């Protein structure tokens, strides 16, 4: 990046009265507590960004970051400079050996009856991690998973990295530990770069996800029910408190028996005490084993009252306290928030979801059928068959319920039944045109199906429906997604489908 001639200098930024607020916002948004004691590094990055925009004070830059006319755009630019995307193919061989020898054989055997496999690379940077898994799966397990519904989802907070990941084109340096013969089999040379061959791309999808701000598990975000989660060299930049709040979320996002792979030099195994630890040569793996965590809880000597395990959305106020920034109280939810099952041995009964879409204020909106909360819990933990049965039951009981049809669409998507997924989304919209989420998901669905015109129409419908909503208003059924965040996501997707 080239900074403009009039960049405010680092010393000016460090002495600016709004610097602390700016720093707090950065850490709050990204979780990167790493910058807590790196004021000069941060000031250098801010100086360059502010120079590009011709701004001279931190206050002006804060205003720009929150400019409602270009939601999230400058934050994306800043995040692109703040995040560190060091990555390469088959990084840390011992963990890939463990995938090949232990993890994939286990999940393939257990999932054979359903022919479904879901893997999440959280903090995937420019993509070598999910593509390495795809290469291993295709080459070494291809015959076993023929005809399966396989998803390898790469997510990141850095939109620029995600765009490069989607392109799948890499410099020599990304192959530093990959044998040349393997590279030639899996990549085509393009000038001085290498392009991944289509057969190794077909399972892999990339999606924006901020581990700090977007709560998970969430079937609505497609972050639910994974057989394997790999999150390496990401949480090293987060504070201990943030990591403590994230680990239970990872656990809840795995299927029973699912596997978690963290970076090999990371962290304190005690954080993962609710997992079963499995040691393989040169790697430590964590496995969700609900029987194990119950035994573990029982075996702990007179436990002190555990700190509440916070869902990811609750990480923000904690960080603000640490960074000394004031966080506005969260907006009152328009629906009771989906209670987290984290942190209490006995999950509290969830509040009933009401189908009173915020942007659909008809007093006579149909109530959501009984059993939807249970369906949601089953779906979030990847118990797809049971979740589908619960959803079908709800639809039989209240066939005109838009929320039930919307969830059915999400389940069809997981099952790879795209035709039924689209039908259910359209049915949910037909039943309540002002229900925002089905429009949004129809937009995603159509952009994946290469229908940019339809996708643009759906995304514009979302913007129209959100027109009068304040940024901090919660979107109905959207977990903690606010209208502001949804507008940002839509703006980004509109860009991807080619809206000027
Ligand atoms: C060092 S790279 C790791 C890449 C890959 N996992 C590996 O080990 O090769 C760290 C990645 O974490 C991403 N990241 C940082 N904060 C994040 C957040 N809050 N949510 C999601 N991703 C984040 C960064 O953008 C970056 O791409």
């Amino acid at each position: 990046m080239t900074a403009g001639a009039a960049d405010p200098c680092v010393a000016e930024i460090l002495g600016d009265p709004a610097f602390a607020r700016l720093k707090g916002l950065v850490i709050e948004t990204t979780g990167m507590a790493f910058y807590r004691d790196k004021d000069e590094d941060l000031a250098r990055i801010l100086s360059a960004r502010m120079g590009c925009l011709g701004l001279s004070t931190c206050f002006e830059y804060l205003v720009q970051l929150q400019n409602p006319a270009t939601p999230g755009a400058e934050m994306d630019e800043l995040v692109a400079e703040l995040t560190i995307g060091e990555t390469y193919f088959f990084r840390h061989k011992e963990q890939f050996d463990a995938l090949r020898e232990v993890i994939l054989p286990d999940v393939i055997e257990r999932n054979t009856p359903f022919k479904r496999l879901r893997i999440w690379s959280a903090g995937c940077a420019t993509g070598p991690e999910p593509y390495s898994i795809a290469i291993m799966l295709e080459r070494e397990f291809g015959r076993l998973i023929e005809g399966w519904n396989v998803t390898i989802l790469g997510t990141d907070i850095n939109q620029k990295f995600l765009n490069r990941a989607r392109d799948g084109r890499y410099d020599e340096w990304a192959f530093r530990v990959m044998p040349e013969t393997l590279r030639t089999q899996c990549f085509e040379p393009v000038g001085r770069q290498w392009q991944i061959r289509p057969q190794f791309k077909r399972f892999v999808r990339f999606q924006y996800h901020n581990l700090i701000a977007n709560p998970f598990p969430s079937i609505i975000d497609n972050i639910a029910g994974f057989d394997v989660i790999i999150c390496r060299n990401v949480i090293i930049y987060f504070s201990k408190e943030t990591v403590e709040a994230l680990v239970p979320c990872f656990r809840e996002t795995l299927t029973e028996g699912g596997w978690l792979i963290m970076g090999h030099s990371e962290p304190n195994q005690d954080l993962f005490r609710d997992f079963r630890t499995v040691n393989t040569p040169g790697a430590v793996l964590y496995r969700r084993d609900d029987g194990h965590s119950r035994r573990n809880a029982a075996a702990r000597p007179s436990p002190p009252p555990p700190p509440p395990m916070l869902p990811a959305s609750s990480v923000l106020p904690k960080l603000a306290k640490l960074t000394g920034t004031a966080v506005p109280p969260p907006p009152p939810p328009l629906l009771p928030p989906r209670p987290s099952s984290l942190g209490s041995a006995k999950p509290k009964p969830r509040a009933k979801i009401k189908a009173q879409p915020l942007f659909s204020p008809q007093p006579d909106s149909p109530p959501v059928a009984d059993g939807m909360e249970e369906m949601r819990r089953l779906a979030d933990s990847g118990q797809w068959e049971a979740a589908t049965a619960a959803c079908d039951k709800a639809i039989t009981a209240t066939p005109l319920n838009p929320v039930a049809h919307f969830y059915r669409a999400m389940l069809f998507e997981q099952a790879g039944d795209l035709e039924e997924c689209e039908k259910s989304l359209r049915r949910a919209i037909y039943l309540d045109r002002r229900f925002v989420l089905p429009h949004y998901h129809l937009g995603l669905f159509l952009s994946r199906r290469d229908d940019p015109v339809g996708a643009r129409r759906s995304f514009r419908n979302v913007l129209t429906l959100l027109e009068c909503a304040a940024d901090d208003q919660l979107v109905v059924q959207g977990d903690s997604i606010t209208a502001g965040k949804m507008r940002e996501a839509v703006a980004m997707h509109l860009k991807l489908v080619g809206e000027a």
Side-chain angles (χ1 to χ4, degrees):
M1 180 183 53
T2 19
D7 301 0
C9 73
V10 170
E12 275 170 335
I13 291 185
L14 291 172
D16 187 311
F19 175 70
R21 252 177 86 194
L22 196 45
K23 174 173 155 178
L25 179 71
V26 164
I27 297 178
E28 244 174 61
T29 308
T30 62
M32 298 188 72
F34 167 78
Y35 283 105
R36 233 193 263 158
D37 57 359
K38 294 199 170 40
D39 282 2
E40 288 208 5
D41 293 342
L42 180 59
R44 208 165 294 118
I45 293 169
L46 292 172
S47 151
R49 277 309 312 152
M50 287 160 69
C52 285
L53 298 169
L55 304 176
S56 53
T57 68
C58 290
F59 181 75
E60 287 170 338
Y61 191 54
L62 269 168
V63 171
Q64 181 65 35
L65 282 172
Q66 289 157 350
N67 184 351
T70 50
E74 180 51 30
M75 186 52 91
D76 283 349
E77 295 292 336
L78 181 59
V79 162
E81 301 304 324
L82 293 167
T83 44
I84 295 145
E86 163 69 359
T87 184
Y88 47 92
F89 286 89
F90 294 97
R91 180 178 199 173
H92 197 69
K93 176 180 178 303
E94 290 81 351
Q95 290 184 328
F96 280 91
D97 290 344
L99 260 173
R100 175 191 305 105
E101 306 299 330
V102 178
I103 297 179
L104 293 175
D106 169 70
V107 290
I108 289 173
E109 191 191 328
R110 284 189 299 116
N111 288 8
T112 295
F114 331 107
K115 296 185 180 306
R116 187 180 300 177
L117 178 55
R118 287 176 55 77
I119 300 176
W120 177 24
S121 161
C124 66
T126 50
E129 189 173 85
Y131 283 136
S132 299
I133 299 173
I135 288 170
M136 179 178 278
L137 256 180
E138 280 280 358
R139 287 173 43 86
E140 303 185 42
F141 298 87
R143 302 250 311 266
L144 290 174
I145 57 166
E146 227 170 78
W148 282 40
N149 174 18
V150 178
T151 301
I152 302 173
L153 180 69
T155 63
D156 205 278
I157 191 179
N158 184 324
Q159 300 278 14
K160 292 191 177 168
F161 290 166
L162 288 170
N163 285 338
R164 282 166 56 195
R166 288 183 189 105
D167 279 352
R169 203 177 275 196
Y170 297 93
D171 295 328
E172 198 82 27
W173 188 233
F175 303 98
R176 68 195 88 159
V177 301
M178 186 167 166
E180 206 175 316
T181 44
L182 184 57
R183 179 178 68 187
T184 322
Q185 286 163 15
C186 307
F187 293 80
E188 281 171 58
V190 179
R192 301 179 68 168
Q193 291 189 305
W194 294 83
Q195 169 80 51
I196 190 146
R197 293 184 194 274
Q199 73 259 40
F200 302 109
K201 257 187 143 176
R202 65 188 180 120
F203 297 143
V204 185
R205 268 163 57 179
F206 293 98
Q207 169 184 316
Y208 175 88
H209 184 259
N210 179 346
L211 288 163
I212 302 301
N214 306 132
F216 60 96
S218 165
I219 190 186
I220 289 170
D221 251 354
N222 191 28
I223 309 276
F226 288 101
D227 302 297
V228 183
I229 299 177
I230 180 162
C231 181
R232 303 183 306 163
N233 311 300
V234 180
I235 63 167
I236 43 174
Y237 302 107
F238 298 168
S239 70
K240 184 168 163 277
E241 293 78 3
T242 305
V243 174
E244 276 170 0
L246 286 177
V247 170
C249 299
F250 282 128
R251 187 171 172 282
E252 296 280 309
T253 307
L254 283 168
T255 51
E256 162 68 7
W259 298 81
L260 175 66
I261 310 175
M262 304 302 292
H264 81 285
S265 54
E266 285 158 47
N268 186 355
Q269 287 185 21
D270 192 45
L271 275 173
F272 300 91
R273 60 184 173 273
D274 284 337
F275 290 79
R276 178 184 292 284
T277 303
V278 178
N279 290 292
T280 60
V284 180
L285 316 168
Y286 302 105
R287 188 159 195 201
R288 176 171 178 174
D289 171 349
D290 292 344
H292 167 79
S293 69
R294 270 194 299 275
R295 281 194 300 280
N296 226 6
R300 264 177 241 149
S302 56
M309 300 286 196
L310 302 171
S313 53
S314 308
V315 170
L316 303 185
K318 274 193 150 193
L319 286 173
K321 213 159 139 202
L322 293 163
T323 53
T325 47
V327 163
L334 286 139
L335 281 179
R338 200 163 60 83
S340 165
S341 59
L342 314 180
S344 56
K346 195 164 149 245
K348 292 196 192 106
R350 291 176 180 217
K352 246 189 204 153
I353 304 174
K354 288 231 188 83
Q356 287 281 48
L358 159 61
F359 308 108
S360 165
Q362 316 98 301
D364 54 347
S365 284
V368 169
D370 280 346
M372 289 307 280
E373 275 293 319
E374 177 61 359
M375 184 286 307
R376 186 59 211 256
R377 187 190 66 74
L378 293 165
D380 279 347
S381 63
Q383 298 179 57
W384 308 116
E385 280 66 29
T388 304
C391 201
D392 286 346
K393 204 169 141 199
I395 290 178
T396 308
T398 55
L400 300 184
N401 195 297
V403 179
H405 287 283
F406 168 66
Y407 277 118
R408 191 71 180 101
M410 299 293 94
L411 291 167
F412 278 128
E413 189 184 359
Q414 301 300 332
D417 190 338
L418 300 186
E419 204 177 309
E420 287 301 321
C421 168
E422 181 178 1
K423 270 194 210 157
S424 291
L425 285 174
R426 292 193 187 278
R427 202 165 295 141
I429 292 170
Y430 173 77
L431 291 170
D432 186 346
R433 299 200 68 77
R434 283 174 286 181
F435 184 9
V436 175
L437 280 183
H439 288 283
Y440 176 68
H441 280 271
L442 187 59
L444 295 180
F445 177 89
L446 295 174
S447 55
R448 274 200 299 275
R449 210 182 56 189
D450 252 347
D451 175 358
V453 176
R456 277 198 288 272
R457 194 179 313 119
S458 294
F459 289 135
R460 283 200 218 106
N461 285 341
V462 174
L463 294 182
T464 309
L465 287 169
L466 295 183
E467 222 159 48
C468 304
D471 271 352
D472 57 2
Q473 254 176 306
L474 292 178
V475 173
V476 159
Q477 298 297 326
D479 292 348
S480 326
I481 301 172
T482 60
K485 286 284 163 212
M486 177 129 282
R487 276 192 281 259
E488 278 175 26
V490 167
M492 188 259 303
H493 286 295
L494 276 170
K495 237 191 273 167
L496 287 174
V497 289
E499 174 131 311

